[in-house]
Amino acid sequence: MKELDKAGKEFLLNSIRCINDFPKPGIVFRDITTLLNNKEAFNFLIDHLAARYENASIDFIAGIESRGFIFAAALAARLRLPFVPIRKPKKLPYITISQKYSLEYGVDEVQIHIDAFGEKAGAKVLLIDDLIATGGTAKASVELINQTNAVCVEACFLIDLKDLGGSKNLRPLTKIYSILEI
């Protein structure tokens, strides 16, 4: 599968605004709204993902609420595949299954419709989110996909904050592709 070259990575990285001390002092927030607002950068990203996954025999693309929806839905439309949202509790209207995960100061959870991947056992699912930090939400999402008898074949992230260790924590569960590593 195709990986992005150095020039492509720099192009995407330069389209993302950095905001210091947000949401609290010492944090550098990676604001992807500037990438989304840049039609060349956004289309370049989706073109790259489409080229990477067009022959990967994927059955579904799942996106994690909320920014993961943007990339996952755009890629699903481009590849003519079904999009499945993974959401916070009480956001999905039908019967759901849940997976809890630990936060720094508590517990959160993600949910998916019980029939999200249809009747096909072993459906191959690509999971997408904008960023992986500590990996709690991504890990819970992979576990949730696997609970449905589908298989998460890869988790894809625009940005991997390497120092926070999320990709390392997720790697035992699925393959990972991070476009940008910071």
Side-chain angles (χ1 to χ4, degrees):
M1 284 192 265
K2 293 180 70 172
E3 294 199 14
L4 199 57
D5 63 18
K6 184 176 179 179
K9 289 179 181 187
E10 286 182 26
F11 174 63
L12 290 177
L13 190 59
N14 289 334
S15 73
I16 298 169
R17 176 174 35 210
C18 294
I19 301 175
N20 293 319
D21 300 320
F22 182 84
K24 61 184 183 178
I27 302 290
V28 178
F29 186 82
R30 307 295 172 167
D31 178 13
I32 64 163
T33 62
T34 52
L35 182 150
L36 299 173
N37 196 283
N38 179 329
K39 66 183 179 187
E40 288 82 17
F42 186 68
N43 279 296
F44 177 80
L45 173 62
I46 299 304
D47 288 346
H48 166 65
L49 292 174
R52 179 174 174 82
Y53 294 111
E54 67 187 346
N55 296 314
S57 300
I58 294 167
D59 299 308
F60 294 87
I61 298 177
I64 301 173
E65 184 173 349
S66 64
R67 292 180 303 264
F69 288 3
I70 299 165
F71 304 111
L75 182 59
R78 179 76 58 90
L79 295 179
R80 299 192 178 285
L81 291 171
F83 166 72
V84 174
I86 296 177
R87 303 215 57 193
K88 299 292 183 183
K90 300 180 182 176
K91 302 279 186 160
L92 293 169
Y94 189 61
I95 301 165
T96 60
I97 56 173
S98 301
Q99 182 67 42
K100 293 184 190 288
Y101 60 98
S102 297
L103 298 169
E104 188 175 356
Y105 297 106
V107 176
D108 208 343
E109 73 182 271
V110 288
Q111 296 183 332
I112 197 168
H113 279 139
I114 197 162
D115 61 353
F117 305 113
E119 301 293 321
K120 182 178 180 179
K124 294 177 184 171
V125 181
L126 171 65
L127 177 66
I128 298 183
D129 204 1
D130 68 322
L131 179 140
I132 185 166
T134 61
T137 308
K139 185 174 186 267
S141 297
V142 170
E143 291 168 345
L144 193 59
I145 289 166
N146 293 340
Q147 282 181 43
T148 67
N149 293 320
V151 178
C152 182
V153 294
E154 188 162 274
C156 175
F157 305 96
L158 173 60
I159 300 171
D160 181 355
L161 299 177
K162 296 278 292 178
D163 290 345
L164 297 179
S167 56
K168 182 180 176 184
N169 294 334
L170 187 60
R171 206 167 302 286
L173 298 178
T174 191
K175 293 180 189 174
I176 298 172
Y177 177 57
S178 300
I179 300 164
L180 304 172
E181 295 178 340
I182 297 173

